[in-house]
Amino acid sequence: MKKLLNSFGYALKGMLLVLKEQQNMRIHAIAVIVVTIGGIFLGLTAVEWSIVALCIGSVISAEMMNTAVELLVDLVSPEFNEKAGKIKDIAAGAVLLTAIIATVVAVYIFGNKIFNLLL
């Protein structure tokens, strides 16, 4: 049981570390707060909340994996290396793609709610 609790502690430490050290993660955290407040205000359904939560989790997870990849690449290849740069660019591209998809989903869900409010 102690090992299990320790593993949760390490995971939480990693989440806080990324939040503290990565500007993009702080931007994502602000977006989560804005989306949550907007969702409460607009009265998202359970299904809409589920979709939004999956998008939030996907973007945050992608950002954390990107950070881990960047740190690992910097560790094993501290000097300039074209392949290392490509690895980092691909990882960053995965975050961008995830964020774009999440934005499209948000525009659809929130746009629909806002449009219906205006009618």
Side-chain angles (χ1 to χ4, degrees):
M1 187 64 162
K2 184 178 178 185
K3 272 180 102 172
L4 179 64
L5 290 176
N6 283 343
S7 68
F8 280 109
Y10 298 138
L12 182 59
K13 180 181 175 183
M15 292 169 67
L16 294 174
L17 184 66
V18 173
L19 187 60
K20 178 182 173 189
E21 294 185 1
Q22 298 297 315
Q23 179 181 10
N24 287 342
M25 184 58 91
R26 290 189 296 273
I27 292 168
H28 294 312
I30 292 167
V32 168
I33 292 167
V34 170
V35 166
T36 301
I37 292 169
I40 291 167
F41 176 75
L42 293 171
L44 297 186
T45 66
V47 170
E48 290 167 336
W49 274 118
S50 298
I51 294 167
V52 167
L54 285 170
C55 287
I56 289 170
S58 296
V59 172
I60 298 297
S61 296
E63 185 65 50
M64 291 177 73
M65 290 302 296
N66 178 54
T67 299
V69 167
E70 286 183 355
L71 289 171
L72 181 60
V73 168
D74 289 346
L75 178 68
V76 299
S77 183
E79 69 287 338
F80 176 79
N81 182 307
E82 187 176 337
K83 286 184 181 179
K86 287 180 181 181
I87 291 167
K88 291 168 81 170
D89 290 346
I90 291 167
V95 177
L96 179 60
L97 179 60
T98 306
I100 289 170
I101 293 167
T103 301
V104 169
V105 170
V107 166
Y108 178 75
I109 290 174
F110 286 87
N112 241 353
K113 293 285 188 180
I114 293 168
F115 181 78
N116 288 333
L117 274 179
L118 297 176
L119 289 182

